[in-house]
């Protein structure tokens, strides 16, 4: 009788330790998602700021400046529900404005244009990486949250189900070709 109680106690302690470890792992994944989302938001803000700065610099032709400025402004002011759409529209505007190499050369030849073009190139290259890190963390958390033990024992607590950030983040070919 005593040996049976000891074995039951050992199994309960081992199960409790395993569930605690799993809950800790899930908590770390949620913290990783939060950090990755903050990094993604920073990169998106940087890209929109550089695009807006470039649009108001007077280097681009008026039509391109208006298109780029409006898309960048909309991306910076977007509510969370519309963020993916407005960021995708900024990507499309960047591709439209910098579709061909002559437009990039015009920017580079202007005073301070080399630095602005370099900063924009870095910004449009970092957004896909930041989005990929965020979505990888979301994918890992979703996989763990789908396990029965996590659902049955409610190890996720009241944390919202993680959502991936889906947007068009393809950089303008003329900017990437020149930098490569």
């Amino acid at each position: 009788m005593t040996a049976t109680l000891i074995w039951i106690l050992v199994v309960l302690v081992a199960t409790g330790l395993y569930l605690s470890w799993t809950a800790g792992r899930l908590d770390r994944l949620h913290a990783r998602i939060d950090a990755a989302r903050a990094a993604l938001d920073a990169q998106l803000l940087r890209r929109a700021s550089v695009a807006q700065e470039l649009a108001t610099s007077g280097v681009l032709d008026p039509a391109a400046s208006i298109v780029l400025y409006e898309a960048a402004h909309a991306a910076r002011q977007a509510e969370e529900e519309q963020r993916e759409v407005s960021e995708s529209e900024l990507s499309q505007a960047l591709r439209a404005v910098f579709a061909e190499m002559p437009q990039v050369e015009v920017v580079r030849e202007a005073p301070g244009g080399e630095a602005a073009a370099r900063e924009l190139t870095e910004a449009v290259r970092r957004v896909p990486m930041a989005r990929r890190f965020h979505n990888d963390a979301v994918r890992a958390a979703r996989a763990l949250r789908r396990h029965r033990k996590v659902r049955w024992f409610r190890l996720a607590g009241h944390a919202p189900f993680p959502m991936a950030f889906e947007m068009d983040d393809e950089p303008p070919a003329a900017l990437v070709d020149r930098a490569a």
Side-chain angles (χ1 to χ4, degrees), residues 40-50 76 83 87 127:
L40 176 61
D41 286 342
Q43 292 304 322
L44 291 171
L45 180 62
R46 180 174 181 230
R47 180 181 76 152
S49 297
V50 171
R76 289 183 71 178
R83 186 90 188 269
E87 293 293 346
V127 166

Side-chain angles (χ1 to χ4, degrees), residues 76-105:
R76 289 183 71 178
Q77 301 298 319
E79 296 292 325
E80 191 60 36
E81 299 82 32
Q82 295 299 317
R83 186 90 188 269
E84 294 172 349
V85 173
S86 62
E87 293 293 346
S88 293
E89 288 172 355
L90 177 56
S91 295
Q92 293 166 1
L94 284 165
R95 281 196 308 272
V97 170
F98 296 106
E100 297 174 5
M101 194 52 108
Q103 185 71 16
V104 177
E105 293 303 324

Side-chain angles (χ1 to χ4, degrees), residues 155-171:
L155 298 181
H158 298 290
F161 195 74
M163 300 302 290
F165 193 86
E166 297 299 332
M167 65 171 270
D168 174 8
D169 59 4
E170 185 181 335

Side-chain angles (χ1 to χ4, degrees), residues 22-35:
T22 303
R25 180 172 168 226
L26 189 57
D27 186 51
R28 287 188 301 276
L29 281 171
H30 282 239
R32 189 172 128 203
I33 289 171
D34 290 342

Side-chain angles (χ1 to χ4, degrees), residues 5-77:
L5 286 176
I6 290 174
W7 280 110
I8 290 173
L9 185 63
V10 167
V11 167
L12 286 175
V13 167
T15 303
L17 286 172
Y18 178 70
L19 291 175
S20 174
W21 175 80
T22 303
R25 180 172 168 226
L26 189 57
D27 186 51
R28 287 188 301 276
L29 281 171
H30 282 239
R32 189 172 128 203
I33 289 171
D34 290 342
R37 181 58 189 244
L40 176 61
D41 286 342
Q43 292 304 322
L44 291 171
L45 180 62
R46 180 174 181 230
R47 180 181 76 152
S49 297
V50 171
Q52 203 168 22
E53 186 178 310
L54 194 58
T56 58
S57 68
V59 174
L60 301 172
D61 64 272
S65 292
I66 290 171
V67 167
L68 194 57
Y69 180 83
E70 286 181 357
H73 181 71
R76 289 183 71 178
Q77 301 298 319

